[in-house]
Amino acid sequence: MDHKGNTILILFLAFLGGSAMVLAFAPFSQGWVALLSLAALFLLWRNASPARAFAIGWAWGMGCMGFGVFWLHHSIAQFGGVNFPLAILLTLLFAAVLALFPALAGGLARKCSGISSTTLVLAYPASWVLMEWVRSWLLTGFPWLTIGYSQIDTPLSGYAPLLGVYGVSLALALSAAALSLGPSRWLLLLPGIWAGGWALQQLEWTQPAGESFTTTLLQASIPQEEKWLPSQLHPTLEYYVGASEAHPGSRLIIWPETAVPAFADQVEESLLQPLHQRFRRQGRDLLLGIPVRDPQGRAYNAMISLGSSGRGEYYKRHLVPFGEFMPFKTLLQPLVELFAIPMSSFSPGDKSKPPLLKLAGMEAGISICYEDAFGEEVVQALPQAAFLVNASNDAWFGDSLAPHQHLEMARMRALETGRYLLRATNTGVSAIIDPRGALVRVLPQFERGAISAEIRPRQGQTGFSLWRNWPVVGLAILLLGIACFPVAKSIPFKNQVQEKK
């Protein structure tokens, strides 16, 4: 086979490996696939030039992101007002941008690593994790399909309370790098890394604090295309109020994100005040999602608490680009007019305040939808928060991989913080998650109903809640520096040789 044909074959194999990576994430949850897929990618990088490694990484990324976030086309087509082919094209363009991060990881690793097994086993995992971390904050961030999430049900998840999801990514990438080298002393890393994860799983990072209480999450399962119809307002509120009253033994009732399809000022007297008085008399609390607007006309995606613990408000702070706000609005005015998505002109809440509301007589950490994809933001509620709440609406993405992937990330947040996480969604998947990231109760997609469970407040802090991502980022930079050092050291020598000649 000629050089061109060999290159095409390698890129195709990389694309297949990236496509297979999707099987490692929910709903398939085959975590072992991630180890093999990443090891295969590192093997393809091994003898490649930096430019070739960049191309291989991009092909892998197109497979992973192209299939892994293909669900975006659903919301673009159905709610963005564009035709189906254009929605597919925009989704693939987005995937192509995301694929640049594994491409950059490959180029950086090959630039630094030389050919020795020592530098390879350090540079590949380090550059990979650094690029995942950069993807989590660059241009507001998109941390979806971070490889650490695929290990939520494996021993490697034991690193999450200590180092967060990127620590799990690093452990997986180190394992894959060792595996990619074949029979060698580096294979001894695998049992050590995985045994370390298992040992960390045996630790109790947080402690019970106070008496347990019963909570109930409601899921109305109203299709997104019907949610904001004026005719739907009364039936929606009737269901939520009736379902809340059907669980009198629950100390806390939670309605999902934008459960009330109207601004708070429009239903203040008819709904919010009566509910506040009723729940206060009953000695219970209600948390509901509703858009709020201030006197200046700014709109906020909000959660409002009512009842015996007092009234409070949390405004979503990390908004979804193009979905809840339009970045660079002046430059992108044509897109503003093209994507006429309902409730898409929100303002961010105050980031200087911790994301807390008082519920069931104690502080609870609050996040709305996309915010639970950012572990460093969720832990801002600690150590005060005794438990976590995430209210979401994944109806935008229909019957796709997205709601399951989103639930997987919520499980990681519970594990990172050592807290129960209560996840109420409009159309599923709603869940009550324990401090180890295990699912206590689940309400599947498109089922109308409620789930209830007793949860125990927790106190204390995990390593991740104290140090966040900095130890992992620092370690990745250190490993990359060690891998790069022999290359950097050789450069002056080469220059001296050339000068003598």
Side-chain angles (χ1 to χ4, degrees), residues 38-59:
L38 207 58
L41 175 63
F42 291 167
L43 186 61
L44 292 175
W45 278 350
R46 185 167 184 180
N47 295 312
S49 67
R52 192 179 176 92
F54 181 94
I56 292 169
W58 188 83

Side-chain angles (χ1 to χ4, degrees), residues 144-167:
W144 220 274
L145 297 187
T146 295
I147 60 170
Y149 291 119
S150 70
Q151 303 303 299
I152 188 68
D153 292 313
T154 77
L156 294 186
S157 67
Y159 292 99
L162 180 64
L163 298 171
V165 69
Y166 298 106

Side-chain angles (χ1 to χ4, degrees), residues 395-407:
W396 294 103
F397 310 116
D399 187 10
S400 70
L401 303 181
H404 307 281
Q405 293 169 350
H406 199 176
L407 175 61

Side-chain angles (χ1 to χ4, degrees), residues 98-302:
L98 295 178
L100 291 173
F101 290 94
L104 289 168
L108 178 61
R110 290 306 301 145
K111 190 74 173 175
C112 285
S113 62
I115 58 173
S116 76
S117 59
T118 302
T119 54
L120 291 178
V121 85
L122 298 179
Y124 290 178
S127 61
W128 184 274
V129 170
L130 285 174
M131 287 301 105
E132 280 198 332
W133 174 70
V134 170
R135 179 161 65 89
S136 75
W137 54 261
L138 186 66
L139 298 177
T140 79
F142 188 79
W144 220 274
L145 297 187
T146 295
I147 60 170
Y149 291 119
S150 70
Q151 303 303 299
I152 188 68
D153 292 313
T154 77
L156 294 186
S157 67
Y159 292 99
L162 180 64
L163 298 171
V165 69
Y166 298 106
V168 180
S169 287
L170 183 60
L172 177 61
L174 283 167
S175 301
L179 186 62
S180 73
L181 294 173
S184 70
R185 69 183 187 277
W186 292 110
L187 277 178
L188 297 176
L189 272 178
L190 267 72
I193 291 170
W194 288 68
W198 178 85
L200 288 169
Q201 283 182 323
Q202 313 313 307
L203 300 179
E204 283 285 339
W205 294 92
T206 58
Q207 304 79 42
E211 297 298 319
S212 60
F213 64 92
T214 302
T215 183
T216 296
L217 317 182
L218 302 184
Q219 182 174 294
S221 194
I222 300 168
Q224 187 64 30
E225 59 269 22
E226 299 177 12
K227 182 178 175 63
W228 297 98
L229 295 176
S231 60
Q232 190 65 45
L233 176 61
H234 181 72
T236 297
L237 299 183
E238 190 175 56
Y239 168 75
Y240 277 119
V241 172
S244 299
E245 292 300 316
H247 295 84
S250 289
R251 177 71 176 82
L252 172 62
I253 304 288
I254 302 175
W255 300 4
E257 177 189 13
T258 58
V260 181
F263 281 106
D265 59 275
Q266 294 175 311
V267 294
E268 176 65 35
E269 295 184 1
S270 62
L271 178 73
L272 299 182
Q273 290 183 16
L275 282 175
H276 181 51
Q277 297 300 326
R278 184 184 307 176
F279 273 78
R280 189 166 62 178
R281 287 195 303 270
Q282 296 171 351
R284 305 197 297 158
D285 288 313
L286 170 66
L287 179 67
L288 59 85
I290 186 171
V292 173
R293 57 189 174 192
D294 63 19
Q296 289 72 42
R298 291 187 294 263
Y300 301 91
N301 189 351

